[in-house]
């Protein structure tokens, strides 16, 4: 009976139902509400772990825990859920980050009912994105997730919160239109109308049509992933958002873009991916170098971390474009690793801000003696972010690099140029992170620190930081602890994508930078909308 229980529906609906009851909870100061929200989030996270432990087979590459129910038959909309090795780790990551983010917002006093209610709504919506198997359902949940983020930034953000929130909603909402357009085009193409992701992937699309749909998805998911040049909303959002919201932005929301790009661009449109993969590789390197260089120039602590996230997301694009099992594996590992590391860093930035009331690096300094525990935690998280061996960040970036350099479908010169440029980002990353630590914790005390006595990290804060840092170190020393959970799926995705690469008469693979764009351009020109 438990094996047939709708586990995925339960973990998506539970936080939404819990949020609906918050307005009727008797509470004046918000203390009861925060315990209620934390309890609901923890129960849901525990339910996720139990459902996967009891019912998920890590050796199977296909979908599991499948559910399907007619939702709105007149529109052909179904409530269809399932997870595989691509979505399962991200579901667990969502549960961990959201639960800790709610605990990180423990001292929220302004409109606590609304704050915790929105956090729970985000929990359910994020899980829905990773589990949805109906494209229209996916789009609706994707849009639902935008509203809580906008409100959380606009009400609980910094001085420029309304500007940052408006910029976020404009970028993400407008780009989401491309999901709907491309999805409807694919659904109505051919003799059958379907929104099921698996069935959409089985349709035989003309190359020009597939490339247009691919481009639409790429714009939408590139915005969410903070891919250059669609990244400019992220530094503003992070710079103004409160620490719990920044944890969700960096820990989960960016990963939604990477997940959807693999799921739809690579899996559903492999023929078009052949022509776009070199461009993704180039954009990935641009992200790595540009994000690292601009991060070095930031004087606002959270904006520096935001540009660091943009840089690290470049490795995800490079792994997606690698066309190797190791590259795809590294892309997913990089998403999970960055989710843990970035959430930890933004949380610790919030801990520092609560004491100093500033994010300006010029006003800090000398905090190491005043807050030794926070200093130690910040240092460990920064070492993980700069890919120190023994940390999860090192493993993810190494897999992407090796996966791309060993790919036999790119020319040697193309690989050499991109790898050398990406290495520039790797060199700059330790520079801006170590200089950040130096300016915050060493040297002369800034005006926000001088003469002040600060309370070091509290037990609650130590617990939250440790909950991120322990898995970061465990995965760093023993990556298989995580990779074995999704190896079967990433291998299958990489194999299917590779099978779409054009072959010569002799059967030799054509290197992608040499693939002529002429057939693709001609196909685009001849796209027929009559079908």
């Amino acid at each position: 009976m438990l094996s047939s229980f709708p586990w995925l529906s339960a973990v998506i609906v539970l936080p939404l139902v819990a949020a609906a009851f918050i307005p009727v909870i008797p509470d004046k100061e918000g203390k009861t509400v925060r315990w209620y929200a934390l309890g609901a989030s923890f129960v849901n996270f525990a339910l996720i772990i139990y459902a996967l432990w009891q019912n998920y087979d890590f050796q199977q590459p296909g979908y599991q825990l499948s559910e399907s129910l007619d939702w709105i038959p007149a529109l052909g909309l179904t409530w269809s859920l399932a997870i595989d090795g691509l979505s399962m780790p991200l579901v667990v990551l969502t549960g961990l980050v959201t639960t800790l983010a709610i605990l990180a917002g423990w001292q929220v006093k302004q409109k606590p009912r609304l704050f915790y209610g929105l956090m729970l709504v985000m929990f359910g919506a994020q899980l829905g994105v990773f589990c949805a198997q109906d494209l229209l359902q996916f789009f609706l949940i994707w849009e639902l997730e935008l509203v809580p983020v906008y409100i959380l930034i606009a009400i609980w953000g910094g001085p420029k919160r309304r500007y940052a929130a408006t910029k976020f909603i404009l970028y993400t909402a407008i780009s989401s239109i491309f999901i709907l357009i491309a999805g409807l085009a694919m659904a109505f193409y051919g003799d059958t109308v379907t929104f099921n992701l698996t069935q959409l992937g089985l349709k035989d699309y003309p190359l020009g049509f597939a490339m247009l749909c691919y481009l639409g998805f790429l714009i939408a998911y590139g915005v969410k992933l903070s891919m250059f040049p669609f990244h400019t909303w992220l530094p503003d959002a992070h710079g103004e958002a409160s620490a719990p919201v920044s944890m969700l932005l960096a820990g989960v929301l960016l990963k939604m873009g990477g997940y959807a790009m693999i799921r739809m661009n690579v899996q559903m449109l492999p023929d078009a991916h052949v022509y776009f993969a070199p461009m993704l590789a180039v954009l990935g390197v641009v992200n790595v170098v540009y994000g690292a260089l601009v991060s070095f120039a930031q004087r606002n602590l959270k904006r520096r971390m935001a540009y660091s996230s943009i840089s690290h997301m470049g490795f995800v694009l490079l792994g997606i474009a690698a066309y190797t099992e190791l590259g795809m594996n590294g892309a997913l590992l990089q998403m999970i690793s960055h989710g843990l590391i970035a959430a930890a860093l933004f949380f610790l930035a919030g801990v520092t801000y609560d004491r100093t009331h500033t994010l300006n690096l010029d006003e800090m300094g000398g905090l190491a003696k005043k807050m030794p525990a926070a200093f130690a935690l910040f240092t460990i998280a920064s070492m993980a972010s700069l890919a120190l061996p023994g940390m999860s960040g090192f493993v993810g970036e190494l897999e992407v690099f090796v996966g791309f350099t060993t790919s036999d479908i790119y020319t040697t010169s193309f690989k050499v140029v991109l790898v050398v440029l990406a290495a520039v980002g790797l060199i700059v990353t330790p520079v801006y992170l170590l200089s950040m630590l130096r300016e915050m914790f060493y040297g002369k005390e800034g005006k926000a620190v001088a003469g002040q006595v600060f309370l070091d990290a509290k037990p609650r804060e130590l617990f939250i930081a440790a909950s991120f840092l322990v898995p970061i170190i465990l995965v760093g020393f023993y990556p298989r602890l995580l990779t074995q959970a999704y190896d079967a799926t990433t291998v299958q995705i990489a194999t299917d994508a590779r099978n779409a690469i054009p072959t010569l008469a002799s059967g030799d693979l054509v290197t992608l930078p040499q693939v002529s764009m002429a057939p693709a351009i001609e196909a685009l020109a001849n796209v027929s909308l009559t079908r």
Side-chain angles (χ1 to χ4, degrees):
M1 180 168 31
L2 288 177
S3 62
S4 60
F5 184 80
W7 292 107
L8 299 182
S9 292
V11 298
I12 292 172
V13 173
L14 192 152
L16 300 179
V17 173
F21 280 100
I22 284 182
V24 300
I25 296 176
D27 186 17
K28 292 184 178 180
E29 299 180 355
K31 295 181 179 180
T32 304
V33 169
R34 69 187 185 189
W35 277 108
Y36 170 81
L38 179 63
S41 181
F42 178 79
V43 168
N44 205 46
F45 181 46
L47 198 62
I48 291 171
I49 300 300
Y50 176 81
L52 295 176
W53 185 263
Q54 293 293 324
N55 303 286
Y56 190 86
D57 185 354
F58 298 105
Q59 305 304 318
Q60 296 297 323
Y63 288 113
Q64 302 180 52
L65 278 73
S66 300
E67 306 171 21
S68 184
L69 177 69
D70 287 338
W71 192 6
I72 307 179
L75 297 177
L77 179 60
T78 61
W79 179 262
S80 181
L81 304 172
I83 56 173
D84 60 359
L86 177 60
S87 53
M88 181 273 296
L90 298 173
V91 167
V92 177
L93 178 69
T94 301
L96 175 64
V97 173
T98 307
T99 302
L100 293 176
I102 290 176
L103 184 58
W106 204 243
Q107 296 178 332
V108 170
K109 297 179 180 179
Q110 180 186 10
K111 304 181 186 299
R113 293 178 188 272
L114 181 59
F115 178 85
Y116 292 113
L118 291 172
M119 294 289 280
L120 289 174
V121 171
M122 279 190 66
F123 195 177
Q126 291 163 350
L127 292 174
V129 167
F130 294 127
C131 297
Q133 291 301 302
D134 183 285
L135 188 53
L136 194 54
Q137 173 196 12
F138 173 90
F139 172 76
L140 293 175
I141 299 176
W142 182 279
E143 292 295 284
L144 171 65
E145 166 268 333
L146 302 180
V147 179
V149 181
Y150 170 79
I151 299 175
L152 285 166
I153 296 175
I155 295 179
W156 291 273
K160 298 180 180 179
R161 58 187 179 274
R162 290 184 178 84
Y163 168 78
T166 302
K167 191 172 184 179
F168 164 80
I169 200 70
L170 287 176
Y171 267 70
T172 51
I174 292 175
S175 65
S176 297
I177 297 174
F178 291 97
I179 302 176
L180 182 62
I181 294 173
L184 289 175
M186 294 173 65
F188 286 97
Y189 178 83
D191 299 328
T192 59
V193 178
T194 179
F195 291 101
N196 183 272
L197 297 184
T198 302
Q199 295 178 14
L200 288 174
L202 296 175
K203 287 188 176 184
D204 186 18
Y205 305 106
L207 180 58
F209 179 87
M211 291 186 69
L212 286 174
C213 294
Y214 188 105
L215 183 60
F217 287 140
L218 183 62
I219 293 173
Y221 305 140
V223 169
K224 186 73 80 172
L225 186 70
S226 69
M227 181 181 72
F228 182 89
F230 307 122
H231 65 285
T232 59
W233 65 270
L234 185 65
D236 292 309
H238 271 312
E240 299 303 321
S242 62
V245 180
S246 287
M247 290 167 67
L248 291 178
L249 282 172
V252 182
L253 264 72
L254 296 184
K255 313 310 173 288
M256 290 166 55
Y259 162 79
M261 197 175 291
I262 298 174
R263 177 71 76 205
M264 299 185 188
N265 290 74
V266 180
Q267 278 194 295
M268 291 169 48
L269 299 167
D271 293 336
H273 185 58
V274 171
Y275 294 91
F276 279 96
M279 184 184 73
L280 287 184
V282 172
L283 288 174
V285 172
V286 171
N287 261 53
V288 171
V289 178
Y290 167 82
L293 292 175
V294 178
S295 178
F296 187 70
Q298 301 303 307
R299 306 309 302 157
N300 181 287
L301 175 60
K302 292 182 71 175
R303 289 182 69 89
R304 177 169 289 199
M305 292 179 182
Y307 278 104
S308 177
S309 293
I310 293 171
S311 179
H312 284 92
M313 287 299 97
F315 289 104
V316 176
L317 291 171
L318 199 60
I320 293 173
Y323 270 103
T324 61
E325 298 169 3
L326 193 59
M328 188 64 68
N329 194 307
L332 184 53
L333 180 56
Q334 177 70 0
M335 285 196 287
I336 299 167
S337 172
H338 179 265
L340 296 170
I341 296 170
L345 282 172
F346 278 108
F347 167 69
L348 292 170
V351 171
T352 305
Y353 178 78
D354 288 341
R355 273 73 171 175
T356 63
H357 303 292
T358 183
L359 292 171
N360 191 338
L361 292 172
D362 296 326
E363 298 177 358
M364 298 184 187
L367 282 171
K369 292 183 179 179
K370 297 176 180 288
M371 301 169 56
F375 163 60
L377 295 171
F378 224 123
T379 301
I380 296 172
S382 298
M383 294 299 108
S385 184
L386 61 81
L388 183 73
M391 303 285 193
S392 61
F394 171 78
V395 182
E397 293 182 11
L398 180 64
E399 285 195 347
V400 170
F401 258 103
V402 175
F404 185 78
T405 55
T406 58
S407 177
D408 61 350
I409 61 172
Y410 290 105
T411 60
T412 302
S413 58
F414 183 76
K415 291 188 293 185
V416 168
V417 171
L418 292 192
V419 169
V420 170
L421 290 175
V424 174
L426 288 180
I427 295 171
V428 176
T429 299
V431 176
Y432 69 72
L433 286 173
L434 293 177
S435 67
M436 177 186 74
L437 292 176
R438 175 180 58 81
E439 292 179 273
M440 291 177 63
F441 296 103
Y442 295 101
K444 184 180 179 180
E445 295 181 356
K447 67 177 184 179
V449 179
Q452 301 292 323
V453 177
F454 297 120
L455 181 66
D456 204 355
K458 302 175 184 178
R460 173 181 61 86
E461 295 166 336
L462 292 172
F463 172 78
I464 295 173
S467 297
F468 287 122
L469 297 179
V470 168
I472 288 171
I473 296 173
L474 289 177
V475 172
F477 277 100
Y478 187 59
R480 185 166 172 75
L481 185 68
L482 175 61
T483 59
Q484 64 182 348
Y486 60 78
D487 271 341
T489 301
T490 53
V491 168
Q492 186 65 53
I493 293 173
T495 301
D496 292 343
R498 193 179 179 86
N499 290 338
I501 299 173
T503 56
L504 299 172
S506 62
D508 296 329
L509 288 172
V510 179
T511 51
L512 287 194
Q514 294 176 344
V515 172
S516 172
M517 288 297 292
I521 295 173
E522 182 181 353
L524 281 170
N526 294 329
V527 170
S528 173
L529 300 181
T530 58
R531 299 192 64 176

